[in-house]
């Protein structure tokens, strides 16, 4: 899924690579029709951010790792875009935390679930990782949500205490917070309902955020995490990006 014709020295290589991964995932039937729109919204915010990891995003990523590594039942949730863009790093993170990943998609159809589960199993095998992959047989529902998007596994999302839900929809984020979980969101849009409502928000591009999280060490200095200050800092960084243009 990673072959791409563009030259790695191209200034927009990272962005082209992500688009290519989404195109490939769409061909495999992993994505909802609106997936490219959600990605485009993220790209616009990343442009304003200067396509870089800010100091406050780094602090948020460190706090996220601190909470995940101390959780009793951590779980990592993957939707189609997350699977397409960052399946390998999500699996590496799950292996490091010894926790399950759960495929949990907004527009659930049996075809999309099969396509995503098949891809995740393929990547797990290629990376030789021992990770429990949930999503194929939901046996519980997230209270407060209606329809197929409420479906989840008791062993995974339902009973988790700390959950990483990158690129999450605002309603589901709110429902997970209402269940008393520590909800960690990765979202380039500091104005989104998910970014606002989460317990911890990493305002950074998904693959950059995951690589920061994977390079985190227990001994790293841990500056205090302030949710509102993190969002304000992202607004400020984006405004500065505009003012300096
Ligand atoms: P909400 O429901 O939380 O208000 P939304 O309607 O924008 O937000 P979605 O349509 O589910 O939610 O969009 C997913 C979010 O993911 C968007 O806010 C977008 O900025 C963000 N996003 C998209 N691609 C990436 C990426 N690669 N890295 C980080 N964030 C991304």
């Amino acid at each position: 899924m990673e072959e791409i014709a563009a030259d790695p020295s191209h200034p927009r290589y990272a962005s082209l690579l992500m688009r290519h991964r989404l195109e490939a995932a769409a061909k495999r039937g992993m994505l909802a029709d609106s997936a490219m729109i959600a990605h485009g919204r993220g790209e616009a915010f990343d442009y304003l951010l200067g396509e870089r990891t800010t100091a406050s995003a780094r602090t948020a990523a460190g706090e996220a790792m601190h909470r995940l590594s101390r959780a009793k039942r951590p779980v990592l949730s993957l939707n189609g875009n997350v699977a397409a863009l960052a399946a390998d790093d999500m699996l590496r993170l799950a292996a490091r935390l010894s926790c399950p990943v759960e495929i949990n998609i907004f527009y659930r159809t049996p075809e999309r679930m099969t396509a995503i589960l098949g891809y995740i199993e393929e990547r797990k095998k290629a990376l030789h990782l021992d990770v429990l992959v949930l999503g194929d047989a939901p046996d519980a529902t997230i209270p407060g949500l209606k329809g197929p998007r409420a479906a989840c596994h008791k062993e995974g999302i339902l009973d988790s205490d700390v959950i990483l839900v990158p690129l999450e929809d605002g309603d589901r984020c709110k429902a997970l917070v209402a269940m008393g979980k520590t909800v960690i969101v990765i979202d380039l849009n500091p104005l989104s309902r998910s970014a606002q409502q989460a317990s911890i928000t990493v305002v950074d591009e998904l693959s950059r955020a995951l690589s920061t999280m994977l390079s985190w060490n227990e001994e790293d200095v841990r500056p205090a995490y302030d949710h509102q200050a993190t969002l304000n800092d992202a607004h400020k960084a984006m405004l500065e990006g505009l003012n300096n243009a």
Side-chain angles (χ1 to χ4, degrees), residues 20-245:
H20 172 76
R21 287 183 184 171
L22 285 173
E23 283 168 22
K27 282 188 193 131
R28 293 177 69 127
M30 290 165 54
L31 303 185
D33 292 343
S34 58
M36 304 294 182
I37 300 170
H39 185 73
R41 183 179 283 171
E43 277 194 343
F45 281 101
D46 204 16
Y47 222 103
L48 294 177
L49 204 55
E51 294 172 313
R52 71 197 161 95
T53 298
T54 62
S56 63
R58 193 168 292 282
T59 298
E63 183 69 17
M65 285 305 286
H66 176 78
R67 304 274 192 104
L68 281 164
S69 58
R70 276 166 181 68
K72 285 197 179 78
R73 295 184 68 108
V75 67
L76 313 186
S77 174
L78 278 91
N79 61 21
N81 280 39
V82 175
L85 296 171
D88 289 11
D89 278 352
M90 289 294 281
L91 285 167
R92 287 187 186 106
L93 193 55
R96 173 158 170 193
L97 295 164
S98 305
C99 77
V101 299
E102 181 164 339
I103 315 302
N104 195 270
I105 60 181
F106 193 85
Y107 301 108
R108 183 184 277 263
T109 65
E111 294 77 17
R112 279 189 66 218
M113 286 303 292
T114 304
I116 298 171
L117 282 159
Y119 179 61
I120 295 298
E121 287 298 344
E122 210 177 274
R123 294 310 307 158
K124 192 178 110 172
K125 212 166 161 190
L127 296 168
H128 306 288
L129 292 175
D130 181 19
V131 172
L132 175 63
V133 180
L134 302 170
D136 59 333
D139 54 358
T141 51
I142 301 170
L145 292 179
K146 289 200 184 90
R149 68 191 171 126
C152 70
H153 280 241
K154 179 167 169 36
E155 190 188 353
I157 289 178
L158 191 82
D159 283 347
S160 64
D161 55 347
V162 182
I163 176 166
L164 174 67
V165 279
L167 324 185
E168 184 54 286
D169 147 76
D171 279 0
R172 206 155 48 186
C173 177
K174 191 176 172 187
L176 293 167
V177 171
M179 289 170 80
K181 300 181 190 305
T182 296
V183 180
I184 301 164
V185 157
I186 298 172
D187 192 330
L188 276 158
N189 177 6
L191 303 169
S192 79
R193 291 171 306 152
S194 307
Q196 305 269 340
Q197 289 163 3
S199 324
I200 298 167
T201 298
V202 185
V203 183
D204 203 1
E205 192 277 325
L206 175 65
S207 61
R208 291 200 306 270
L210 290 174
S211 96
T212 307
M213 288 169 77
L214 283 165
S215 63
W216 175 85
N217 282 306
E218 194 76 36
E219 305 73 37
D220 286 353
V221 185
R222 186 170 151 246
Y225 176 78
D226 178 330
H227 189 61
Q228 196 50 52
T230 299
L231 298 179
N232 293 345
D233 187 79
H235 299 155
K236 205 167 129 223
M238 290 179 189
L239 282 172
E240 278 168 10
L242 276 175
N243 287 332
N244 295 336

